[in-house]
Amino acid sequence: MSNGTAAMQEGALALKPGYAAAGTVEPRELHAQVDAGAEPHHDTASTIQLGFWLYLMSDCLLFAGLFATYAVLHGHTAGGPTARQLFDLPYTLTETMFLLVSSFTCGLATLAMNADRKQATLGWLAVTFVLGLGFVSMEVHEFAHMVAIGATASRSAFLSCFFTLVGTHGLHVTCGLIFMAVMMVAVAKKGLTPTNRGRLNCLMLFWHFLDIIWVGVFSLVYLSGVVH
């Protein structure tokens, strides 16, 4: 037994020096390996959605500041054109319907995604994209008309606040359209994978958020400006 890996010492089985270091794992190392293997798996999709909710909350603060600024300064026209002179309510109402209907079709895209219907999801996203593009196009046309008649952002505090508030929302819608186009390509290539589903959920949240913000813009800026 002199050449074996173990020797009997005082009736007990003992390992020879050097054997434990070469062939066994220290208890502390063993516990560390077990703990590492037992580490819970994090839900990446839930983490991403939580982060996106935090982003939306920060965007709420941004728009709250813009709404408050407009509410204070909308009457400061510096002798320039007023809201009643500039705004065409039927035109803006048509623009609003584009966005409201696009929010509805975005909801239908969500239902199709939850039903695992890839083509229907892509179809409703395409309809939503066209409606959103129509909204942005009408807004750009409105801005171009106002600039052409001299109602620029530098003309008065009212117009500065108007272009900042409405333009910021329009920029968000444009970013949403880019996001939507990217997701349509991703779904067309890879299907409704868990990753794409998580990203689509973020897109839906963003789009509905923009719809809610626009209701506030329409009520405070356009409707109030024309009525009063």
Side-chain angles (χ1 to χ4, degrees):
M1 295 290 292
S2 60
N3 296 326
T5 59
M8 295 296 295
Q9 297 179 356
E10 297 180 359
L13 184 63
L15 296 177
K16 279 191 172 183
Y19 180 79
T24 62
V25 180
E26 293 293 333
R28 185 177 300 174
E29 296 176 359
L30 181 61
H31 291 160
Q33 293 177 8
V34 172
D35 291 341
E39 184 179 354
H41 175 69
H42 296 286
D43 190 344
T44 305
S46 298
T47 303
I48 292 175
Q49 288 194 26
L50 174 60
F52 201 79
W53 272 109
L54 293 176
Y55 159 71
L56 290 181
M57 294 303 101
S58 67
D59 241 13
C60 282
L61 295 177
L62 169 65
F63 279 106
L66 294 176
F67 276 122
T69 303
Y70 182 86
V72 172
L73 298 177
H74 73 278
H76 295 68
T77 61
T82 64
R84 180 174 294 183
Q85 294 171 334
L86 290 174
F87 298 156
D88 182 356
L89 196 57
Y91 181 90
T92 309
L93 184 59
T94 303
E95 184 181 358
T96 301
M97 291 307 300
F98 270 96
L99 197 60
L100 292 178
V101 175
S102 76
S103 186
F104 175 72
T105 57
C106 185
L108 294 178
T110 303
L111 294 176
M113 179 190 70
N114 292 335
D116 202 24
R117 298 167 57 199
K118 173 183 172 181
Q119 295 303 322
T121 303
L122 288 172
W124 287 119
L125 284 176
V127 174
T128 305
F129 183 89
V130 171
L131 291 170
L133 187 61
F135 171 85
V136 172
S137 299
M138 292 186 70
E139 189 168 279
V140 170
H141 181 268
E142 178 188 24
F143 282 5
H145 172 70
M146 293 175 68
V147 170
I149 63 175
T152 62
S154 60
R155 181 64 182 82
S156 64
F158 154 64
L159 286 170
S160 295
C161 295
F162 167 78
F163 278 105
T164 302
L165 173 57
V166 180
T168 299
H169 179 271
L171 181 61
H172 277 67
V173 175
T174 302
C175 292
L177 290 174
I178 296 172
F179 187 7
M180 193 176 302
V182 171
M183 288 311 306
M184 290 171 66
V185 173
V187 172
K189 288 185 175 180
K190 298 182 179 180
L192 295 172
T193 63
T195 300
N196 283 341
R197 289 175 183 269
R199 291 170 180 172
L200 282 172
N201 282 327
C202 291
L203 172 62
M204 309 306 182
L205 285 173
F206 185 63
W207 200 257
H208 293 308
F209 167 76
L210 295 179
D211 186 49
I212 294 172
I213 294 297
W214 180 254
V215 171
V217 172
F218 177 76
S219 301
L220 176 65
V221 177
Y222 292 96
L223 190 61
S224 177
V226 172
V227 171
H228 295 91

